[in-house]
Amino acid sequence: MARAAVVGAGMTTFGVHDTPLQELFAAAALEALDDAGVETTDVEALYFGNAMGGQAENDTHLGPTAASHVGLAGIPVQRYEDACATSANAFKNAVQAVDAGIHDVVLVGGVERCTPETGKDTAAMTRIFASAAHRQYEQPAGLTFPGVFALLTKRHMHEYGTTEEQLAHVAVKNHGNGALNPRAHFGRETSVEAVLDGPVVADPFRLMDCCPFSDGASAVVVVADDLADSHDAPVDVAGVGHATGVVPIADKATPHVTKPARDAAAAAYEQAGAGADAMDFAEVHDCFTGAEVLASEALGLVEDGQGGVAAADGRTARDGDVPINPSGGLKAKGHPIGATGTAQIVELAEHLRGEAGERQIADAERAVAHNLGGDAATTVVSVMEARP
Ligand code: COA
């Protein structure tokens, strides 16, 4: 028996939007409801994610506003904020609520605007994102998120000899996948040479190692296991794990190991009764190329120390033995932070339904999504399966 099922999925394009947050969310939400064949009157609760709306757009009490724009005013709405893991946490809680019998039909999703459409440029948005670093020990030192993941990746390079060229292969792969995704922020391919030629953002990351600032929204409809068969093409949620780790980075014993991802994956795999070997593909949180390397190892998809090698050898390509980020990942699909977690669930659902078009992973039956927040101190891992 699955914990719950996803019966509808929707998302906007990720990129630049001049649409207000609640309208952007409503577009994704109404698409998910339409896909599920669910009326607004059937939705029992909205689990809603937005991380930075208060700081970026002076927009704080967004849960009921978003619900109103979808036509859901009246039902309970929970708003989640967990940095970049915001909507994966909303998804976990929706699955738990359905699994516990509290609700039968829940709409879950997230929205964010991070581009200059908010009135904030790259420098201002970088400062806002940096508020997810430790207030006393890291923010005063000027640590920003390219710097956070540069530190974790530098440690990985030191431990295992991972190279900048291997990191560049992650960017090349994800831009290639993104070029096949009509909703991706970037639709252009790149090359290892172009990545290595780019300006340095935070050593070892160059421009093309970084995800962009994006606007966008995503949503899914989660229903109780016993209701799933009354919808077209349900996708089972087999397990959802959630773990946290030590903050600040200076207190992490092994920063390149991303322990919360390992703990969250272990919980999700145990619930699913299936381990890393049984995953046909993964969507992982590649906010920077090095983050994908760390995630691929933490999820057990490749051996420790082999994340960079696997990317360079083509093992993580769509036709490799462990395909990672067929959507283009955060790197090319984009990263509107509060929308990223449920966008990964949308991508899993599309492949498991056989509806992912040109980027379809052949014969995909089971897949894993990994969404992290902050310096990876919050991580949510979800396993989903095609319903037999
Ligand atoms: N990947 C690929 N291309 C990118 C890019 C990215 N991340 N960011 C910008 N570009 C492109 C733009 O499309 C533009 O191309 P064009 O000249 O052909 O139009 C060009 O690079 C310059 O864009 P601009 O918006 O001026 O870039 P920027 O210097 O202001 O910002 C980064 C670039 C990498 C510094 C910024 O995107 C960034 O900080 N990303 C990380 C965001 C982050 O930390 N998220 C949280 C993760 S936990």
Side-chain angles (χ1 to χ4, degrees), residues 173-232:
K173 166 182 69 72
N174 290 351
H175 271 269
N177 292 347
L180 300 177
N181 185 348
R183 291 174 304 203
H185 190 148
F186 296 123
R188 57 174 188 262
E189 298 187 349
T190 189
S191 65
V192 169
E193 296 70 33
V195 177
L196 294 176
D197 250 7
V200 172
V201 174
D203 181 35
F205 299 140
R206 296 169 185 274
L207 174 72
M208 294 297 283
D209 288 291
C210 306
C211 69
F213 289 110
S214 312
D215 308 325
S218 62
V220 294
V221 178
V222 175
V223 303
D225 179 65
D226 58 355
L227 293 181
D229 284 330
S230 57
H231 298 270
D232 290 339

Side-chain angles (χ1 to χ4, degrees), residues 5 46 48 113 156 193 214 234-235 261 366 375 386:
L46 170 62
F48 171 80
R113 292 204 313 165
H156 194 275
E193 296 70 33
S214 312
V235 178
R366 189 182 291 108
D375 63 5

Side-chain angles (χ1 to χ4, degrees), residues 257-271:
V257 160
T258 57
K259 187 168 182 303
R262 291 167 195 253
D263 293 345
Y269 291 154
E270 187 183 351
Q271 289 165 33

Side-chain angles (χ1 to χ4, degrees), residues 248-330:
I249 294 172
D251 285 349
K252 295 184 201 292
T254 50
H256 60 293
V257 160
T258 57
K259 187 168 182 303
R262 291 167 195 253
D263 293 345
Y269 291 154
E270 187 183 351
Q271 289 165 33
D277 290 352
M279 301 301 139
D280 294 319
F281 72 97
E283 282 286 307
V284 310
H285 195 99
D286 59 326
C287 46
F288 301 92
T289 49
E292 175 168 315
V293 169
L294 269 50
S296 63
E297 296 172 14
L299 295 184
L301 301 169
V302 301
E303 284 174 27
D304 284 351
Q306 293 300 301
V309 177
D313 288 351
R315 289 185 58 202
T316 56
R318 281 196 327 285
D319 59 356
D321 63 311
V322 278
I324 294 181
N325 284 328
S327 70
L330 284 58

